[in-house]
Amino acid sequence: MEITYSKQGISINQRKYALEILFDTGFLGSKPTSTPMDSHLKLNKSEGKLFSDPTSYKRLIGKLLYLTHTRPHLSYSVHHLSQFLDSPQEPHLRVAHRILRYLKGTPGQGLFFPASSSLHLKVFADSNWANCPNTRRSVTSYCVFVGDSLISWKSKKQQTISRSSAKVEYRSMASVVCELT
């Protein structure tokens, strides 16, 4: 992790690590993309051809998981791909490659903690109802700010299956309240 101090605040990123991942996977010269994952993409365990080398897929997802420490916007995409570690398919690898192309365009992004910021809490939460095609479970995502500084984030499948989007939203809010307390 690279930590930079200035009068404006503290910046934390993993630029060198991101570039090492791109070099190791051969994506250093790839064409960048603007988003890490298509928002309408639905991956499941039984689509596509089984990937020939699951060890390299597991290693790549592990590296990307470590990168989410300073890149919270990658959490959803990487955690979504980590569900398929037991039997990765070709479509899963294509999505992982898209994340690598996104990293190519944004290797130095990270967290910034401004020096002058107010001490009020801001919380943003969202959920998507029955997003997983295999289990029909919903995903809760949230981020917590103190002033303008991001201090906590999470993207996780809910434990129960909900019959309505309203219940999913209430469970999402309950998860955020637990985090705050």
Side-chain angles (χ1 to χ4, degrees):
M1 286 191 191
E2 299 173 24
I3 302 171
T4 307
Y5 300 95
S6 70
K7 291 180 180 182
Q8 290 80 24
I10 300 171
S11 175
I12 302 174
N13 67 52
Q14 293 173 290
R15 182 180 185 281
K16 183 180 175 200
Y17 183 68
L19 291 173
E20 285 175 9
I21 294 172
L22 292 170
F23 179 77
D24 291 345
T25 57
F27 275 79
L28 198 55
S30 67
K31 182 180 176 185
T33 185
S34 60
T35 59
M37 190 169 127
D38 181 16
S39 62
H40 301 292
L41 183 67
K42 303 270 189 203
L43 294 173
N44 55 86
K45 291 186 179 239
S46 60
E47 75 177 38
K49 182 180 161 191
L50 192 63
F51 186 56
S52 59
D53 185 15
T55 306
S56 65
Y57 179 82
K58 292 176 184 180
R59 189 174 297 119
L60 174 60
I61 297 303
K63 289 177 180 182
L64 292 173
L65 278 171
Y66 183 71
L67 196 59
T68 62
H69 291 306
T70 59
R71 310 273 301 252
H73 61 285
L74 295 177
S75 293
Y76 175 79
S77 303
V78 175
H79 288 116
H80 192 62
L81 289 177
S82 70
Q83 299 175 61
F84 309 109
L85 289 176
D86 58 339
S87 59
Q89 312 284 326
E90 291 291 338
H92 308 142
L93 183 64
R94 281 196 299 272
V95 174
H97 287 168
R98 181 179 172 127
I99 293 172
L100 292 173
R101 288 195 320 273
Y102 175 75
L103 283 179
K104 168 70 170 121
T106 61
Q109 275 191 356
L111 298 173
F112 180 70
F113 302 98
S116 60
S117 184
S118 61
L119 288 175
H120 65 277
L121 283 173
K122 287 189 284 187
V123 180
F124 300 95
D126 194 16
S127 58
N128 50 9
W129 182 43
N131 192 48
C132 179
N134 297 317
T135 62
R136 303 301 297 160
R137 290 191 180 166
S138 304
V139 176
T140 293
S141 300
Y142 64 80
C143 53
V144 180
F145 291 83
V146 172
D148 295 326
S149 301
L150 180 65
I151 60 166
S152 178
W153 63 89
K154 189 176 214 172
S155 177
K156 185 178 180 178
K157 274 189 190 177
Q158 292 183 358
Q159 295 295 319
T160 58
I161 299 171
S162 299
R163 292 185 182 179
S164 73
S165 60
K167 287 183 181 180
V168 172
E169 294 292 341
Y170 284 127
R171 285 193 175 104
S172 179
M173 287 189 299
S175 178
V176 172
V177 169
C178 287
E179 174 69 16
L180 288 173
T181 55

